[in-house]
Amino acid sequence: RWLVIDRKVYDISHFCRRHPGGSRVISHYAGQDATDPFIAFHLDKALVRKYMNPLLIGELAPDQPSFEPSKNKKLVEDFRELRATVEKMGLLQPNHAFFILYLCHILVLDVAAWLIIWYFGASLVPFLFSAVLLGTVQAQAGWLQHDFGHLSVFSKSRWNHWVHKFVIGHLKGAPASWWNHLHFQHHAKPNCFRKDPDVNMHPLFFLGDWTLISLLGVQKKKFMPYNHQHKYFFIIGPPALVPLYFQWYVFYFAVQRKQWADLAWMLSFYIRFFLTYLPFLGVKGTLGLHMLVRFIESNWFVWVTQMNHIPMHIDYDKNVDWFSTQLQATCNVHQSLFNDWFSGHLNFQIEHHLFPTMPRHNYWKVAPLVKSLCAKHGIEYQCKPLLTAFADIVHSLKDSGELWLDAYLHK
């Protein structure tokens, strides 16, 4: 497994297993130029290059081009100029006060949920109100751990990793290593079949363009009635992903990978939760509250995280340039105070994917520059209302299901 960064060739065949971001994310670029993703993902590039030196096996021959034929040379150059402009503008520098206040608002909601049960008792109305607050805590803590996971808060990667373990482990009950393993693959190759785990929903759902979908249809594979997937999505999609799958799988992941520190942080969440609510609700009530919170969190999480990607182009990896890779797989949702808060600023999904380490409070500042570059190269910059983005998820599932059925019956 060789890859190219700044015309230098590195052999990652053995190193990929020790790669801090996971073996798969770096392996997805084997045989390709990885200069732009390398720049996008790493904070201290000088430090990283020290670890890369033993992997160096040579350089591209002088007669070899710096840009692969599948990539738009002018667009690559223009995006790198944009990246330099972003750095000069200081848009990669975080406002620590923003993240402190964001964490405080999560902790206040968490305490308020307990105070409601403590003061008003465990009757239905306080129970439901507390569940809504705790569901909000889980969703918002999810967006905050996302910031630390992307190294967006501190200048040192190690500091981000430490706080990331606290937020995702103690506040949410999930392992940081699991999130890293999946999420960086998604950013490296968004909507690339077999490389982006977020779109590998088969056999429950199937998405993609005509070529991809017809392949399964022609092979007569029918694990589910995909022509009805836009209907059963409302049953086994948003309501069930976290309570029936994620919250159990993460324990298997942590134990299988021997991530004992992550497991300890996860257990601290469950111990705190049950010690907090068990005296007021009993065992059944506490379990019921926990499952209801996971149900609320799951619906929130799925609709927000899928609205930017499912309606977009899904295909095998075509090894196009970084800018095109991200733009064809992502779309934005209109900015508003509510949309920013509700989605954790993932309504600026395009900017987030182009600059994954950028603090989210700066997305709106870089958006006009990204739009300008899109206009220059004739690339569509999609931005839509929130409810339209939700509806497009269902429409995409329906369209993909109909394409599959046609291939299944007639090809």
Side-chain angles (χ1 to χ4, degrees):
R1 297 175 182 174
W2 297 359
L3 55 75
V4 177
I5 297 175
D6 290 330
R7 296 189 60 84
K8 295 183 178 180
V9 184
Y10 298 89
D11 183 354
I12 61 165
S13 303
H14 301 291
F15 170 77
C16 64
R17 301 168 190 164
R18 296 180 283 112
H19 181 236
S23 61
R24 293 185 183 181
V25 63
I26 192 172
S27 298
H28 289 336
Y29 277 93
Q32 301 179 9
D33 186 291
T35 303
D36 290 312
F38 170 79
I39 293 172
F41 287 133
H42 298 95
L43 289 183
D44 191 342
K45 297 169 184 60
L47 175 64
V48 176
R49 289 183 190 278
K50 292 181 180 179
Y51 290 92
M52 293 166 57
N53 287 335
L55 311 177
L56 182 64
I57 57 174
E59 296 188 26
L60 293 179
D63 62 335
Q64 293 297 311
S66 297
F67 303 94
E68 295 158 289
S70 59
K71 297 178 179 178
N72 185 330
K73 177 182 177 181
K74 181 59 177 173
L75 182 54
V76 171
E77 292 173 341
D78 286 350
F79 176 70
R80 290 177 181 175
E81 287 183 14
L82 174 60
R83 171 85 190 191
T85 300
V86 164
E87 292 177 357
K88 290 178 182 177
M89 293 174 64
L91 297 183
L92 299 179
Q93 302 304 313
N95 181 346
H96 293 127
F98 172 88
F99 293 103
I100 292 172
L101 291 174
Y102 203 90
L103 175 60
C104 288
H105 113 278
I106 292 172
L107 297 178
V108 167
L109 290 175
D110 205 2
V111 173
W114 178 82
L115 288 175
I116 288 172
I117 297 292
W118 172 76
Y119 186 79
F120 293 102
S123 58
L124 182 61
V125 173
F127 180 88
L128 293 176
F129 201 82
S130 180
V132 170
L133 289 180
L134 289 172
T136 303
V137 166
Q138 288 303 302
Q140 294 298 324
W143 310 146
L144 184 62
Q145 68 82 21
H146 180 263
D147 296 317
F148 288 104
H150 274 294
L151 315 179
S152 299
V153 183
F154 298 114
S155 58
K156 299 291 185 181
S157 297
R158 183 178 300 176
W159 298 352
N160 285 290
H161 291 314
W162 285 343
V163 184
H164 185 216
K165 288 181 179 294
F166 165 76
V167 176
I168 195 174
H170 185 67
L171 296 184
K172 289 190 60 63
S177 54
W178 164 75
W179 184 89
N180 291 336
H181 170 72
L182 293 177
H183 196 67
F184 289 132
Q185 291 185 70
H186 161 69
H187 270 269
K189 295 290 184 179
N191 281 18
C192 289
F193 191 60
R194 302 294 188 194
K195 290 190 175 183
D196 179 0
D198 285 11
V199 296
N200 289 343
M201 304 177 185
H202 201 254
L204 296 180
F205 301 97
F206 200 78
L207 293 151
D209 69 358
W210 166 248
T211 305
L212 199 56
I213 293 172
S214 62
L215 180 63
L216 272 191
V218 170
Q219 293 173 350
K220 307 304 179 185
K221 292 185 177 180
K222 185 182 179 182
F223 300 99
M224 295 285 285
Y226 298 118
N227 52 309
H228 295 292
Q229 64 181 355
H230 62 290
K231 300 174 184 176
Y232 63 73
F233 174 75
F234 289 93
I235 301 173
I236 64 175
L241 182 65
V242 174
L244 298 185
Y245 178 62
F246 271 1
Q247 75 165 345
W248 310 110
Y249 176 76
V250 292
F251 280 96
Y252 167 78
F253 181 94
V255 172
Q256 183 197 42
R257 304 277 178 126
K258 298 180 180 180
Q259 299 291 334
W260 306 124
D262 281 348
L263 184 62
W265 278 114
M266 293 163 60
L267 291 174
S268 74
F269 163 80
Y270 286 95
I271 292 171
R272 175 177 61 86
F273 186 88
F274 279 88
L275 288 179
T276 301
Y277 290 99
L278 201 62
F280 303 99
L281 302 176
V283 176
K284 291 183 179 179
T286 304
L287 288 173
L289 177 64
H290 175 69
M291 292 302 292
L292 181 56
V293 169
R294 290 302 192 200
F295 172 80
I296 295 170
E297 174 196 5
S298 187
N299 280 276
W300 196 328
F301 169 79
V302 172
W303 285 106
V304 169
T305 57
Q306 299 309 306
M307 68 183 182
N308 305 106
H309 296 296
I310 282 185
M312 304 303 290
H313 181 71
I314 300 173
D315 201 352
Y316 287 101
D317 181 16
K318 301 296 185 182
N319 189 26
V320 295
D321 55 86
W322 177 257
F323 191 86
S324 299
T325 295
Q326 306 305 329
L327 263 294
Q328 69 184 10
T330 56
C331 64
N332 280 7
V333 169
H334 291 167
Q335 182 188 21
S336 70
L337 287 176
F338 175 79
N339 287 354
D340 291 353
W341 174 84
F342 183 76
S343 68
H345 289 85
L346 294 182
N347 50 327
F348 287 97
Q349 191 74 217
I350 293 173
E351 289 71 27
H352 170 56
H353 266 255
L354 290 174
F355 308 100
T357 62
M358 178 180 287
R360 59 160 118 160
H361 51 74
N362 287 333
Y363 292 158
W364 68 274
K365 298 178 182 178
V366 75
L369 302 178
V370 175
K371 290 179 183 178
S372 177
L373 187 56
C374 286
K376 178 179 179 180
H377 289 272
I379 297 174
E380 184 180 9
Y381 181 99
Q382 287 196 34
C383 189
K384 60 187 74 169
L386 181 65
L387 295 182
T388 300
F390 289 165
D392 283 348
I393 296 175
V394 181
H395 295 155
S396 297
L397 289 167
K398 182 179 180 180
D399 292 344
S400 297
E402 290 175 350
L403 287 173
W404 167 85
L405 182 64
D406 180 65
Y408 184 82
L409 295 177
H410 304 121
K411 301 296 180 181

